[in-house]
Amino acid sequence: MARSASLLRLGCLLAVVALCVPPARSWAEDDEPQLDVPVMVAAQLEAQDAGATGRVVLRLAFDPLEDLDRPYSIQLRLTAARRELLVLDHAADPPVVRWRKGKQVAYSVPVPLPLHVKAGAPMELYLGFFDPAQKRVYPSRNDGPRNVNRVRVAKFTMPDFGPIVEGPMVEALLGAAGDLAAQGREADAWSALERGIRRSVEDGPKYRFRDALLDMMVDVPAPPISVLEKEIVAGRIRAEKERYLRLISGRCFDRKQWHAALRILEAIGGNLSEEASAAVIGALDLAKRTERDIDDLKVRILRSATDEDKAAVGEAVKTLGYTEKLFAA
């Protein structure tokens, strides 16, 4: 009896959806082609300690000119001579789909520098908005040089990361680490000393940097987690949850407990749809895959219906019509 009632509701639901829901309009069907994203981007680069720490910090401020309703993710690329060296793509926090006109969104992105680039090379950072539905990159409304629809937001000169030998170079790096620690930037001081060990070619400087690290070891707090690291951690948690739920759904499927498998997949699909709206990278493709699995299960459930089940559905539709009473039956 419970199985017949469940089949009845599912059959009625599919019938109503097929007859009553108009086809969704794609973003690609907009009346006017989209040229950019109505956002002004201001960037400030902190590179004064790059030679010591091995990274720069990009402070971004986004000023929406209109309310945004598309799940863009941020594409950020480090280039040298127009050649991409580092991909720093991420989902903004809060998601772009929640950005509203006049409300600025600001955060920082640490940019590690590749050590193989020659000192003095001109480096550039380009930023764009990626639309996962259209698989396209759009620039912000800023003027300036562009690269594959990304606007240049910062430029700097590559510092020297060559070998260190005993003498002024060691003293300068030890002094820079001391200054960073005095400013309360212990994590940056640690990075400077660690990099000094790696760049030293002689044992003497290595020991000096090691001893400096041991002296400050007790007082070094963990560095704050960056927006990129937050996304990596959250992505791994999401992936493990989805893996486990898919495992249980598969077990239900093998036991021909198709309704249970369907409910679990619908829960996964709902979460993925929310993540796609928040521009979680890769969520849209996973949501489409889950949607296909859900459709397959619904077909299997309907095909398993007996003649008695089909007759009950037909009689309910004939008696009640496509109304709310049909779903309460």
Side-chain angles (χ1 to χ4, degrees):
M1 189 68 179
R3 180 174 178 272
S4 298
S6 181
L7 285 168
L8 173 62
R9 291 190 179 92
L10 181 60
C12 296
L13 176 61
L14 292 176
V16 171
V17 169
L19 291 174
C20 302
V21 177
R25 182 176 180 182
S26 169
W27 286 335
E29 298 174 2
D30 289 343
D31 296 332
E32 297 181 2
Q34 181 179 355
L35 301 177
D36 58 25
V37 176
V39 175
M40 295 297 293
V41 182
Q44 180 182 356
L45 190 72
E46 296 181 359
Q48 64 273 18
D49 301 314
T53 62
R55 63 173 175 265
V56 298
V57 177
L58 182 66
R59 300 195 180 279
L60 295 169
F62 301 88
D63 289 295
L65 305 178
E66 301 173 9
D67 292 348
L68 299 181
D69 59 358
R70 297 190 183 184
Y72 300 109
S73 62
I74 305 298
Q75 285 198 348
L76 182 62
R77 307 293 170 89
L78 176 66
T79 69
R82 296 277 174 159
R83 182 168 62 94
E84 285 188 7
L85 301 178
L86 196 60
V87 175
L88 299 163
D89 299 351
H90 59 277
D93 185 19
V96 177
V97 73
R98 300 179 190 168
W99 291 6
R100 296 296 175 259
K101 179 180 179 180
K103 293 186 178 181
Q104 187 180 84
V105 176
Y107 56 85
S108 300
V109 179
V111 181
L113 301 179
L115 303 183
H116 64 276
V117 179
K118 183 179 179 181
M123 310 292 289
E124 297 175 309
L125 282 160
Y126 287 87
L127 185 145
F129 292 83
F130 178 70
D131 188 331
Q134 298 189 29
K135 307 290 185 184
R136 291 187 58 185
V137 180
Y138 294 98
S140 63
R141 202 154 283 182
N142 299 67
D143 295 325
R146 298 189 179 188
N147 182 13
V148 195
N149 270 354
R150 304 183 193 98
V151 178
R152 188 178 72 188
V153 293
K155 61 178 182 177
F156 61 97
T157 301
M158 187 70 179
D160 185 5
F161 292 127
I164 291 178
V165 295
E166 188 68 71
M169 297 177 70
V170 174
E171 300 300 331
L173 190 51
L174 286 171
D179 292 341
L180 291 170
Q183 297 169 20
R185 299 168 57 188
E186 290 88 354
D188 289 336
W190 183 280
S191 296
L193 294 172
E194 184 182 34
R195 192 165 294 276
I197 293 177
R198 297 178 183 276
R199 292 173 58 191
S200 298
V201 296
E202 301 171 343
D203 287 341
K206 287 182 183 290
Y207 294 151
R208 293 186 65 186
F209 289 122
R210 179 204 62 187
D211 293 342
L213 277 173
L214 291 174
D215 289 340
M216 67 176 297
M217 206 167 149
V218 178
D219 301 320
V220 179
I225 187 169
S226 70
V227 64
L228 296 164
E229 292 168 331
K230 287 180 183 177
E231 186 162 337
I232 291 171
V233 172
R236 290 177 178 175
I237 293 173
R238 286 193 303 268
E240 178 59 21
K241 285 182 177 179
E242 184 191 351
R243 184 200 68 80
Y244 179 75
L245 288 174
R246 279 192 171 275
L247 174 65
I248 301 303
S249 178
R251 289 176 179 174
C252 293
F253 180 87
D254 292 340
R255 297 167 186 160
K256 294 189 176 181
Q257 297 172 337
W258 291 336
H259 288 87
L262 176 63
R263 293 295 174 262
I264 294 173
L265 283 179
E266 286 177 339
I268 297 174
N271 291 335
L272 289 174
S273 296
E274 292 178 4
E275 292 167 6
S277 297
V280 174
I281 296 173
L284 184 61
D285 292 335
L286 289 174
K288 290 180 178 178
R289 172 193 165 193
T290 303
E291 186 178 351
R292 288 195 297 269
D293 293 341
I294 290 173
D295 291 341
D296 177 67
L297 265 174
K298 288 180 178 178
V299 170
R300 286 177 180 270
I301 291 172
L302 289 175
R303 286 180 177 173
S304 69
T306 64
D307 292 339
E308 181 182 350
D309 295 329
K310 294 176 183 178
V313 171
E315 184 63 29
V317 171
K318 184 187 298 184
T319 304
L320 304 174
Y322 297 109
T323 65
E324 294 183 3
K325 294 181 180 179
L326 182 63
F327 295 96

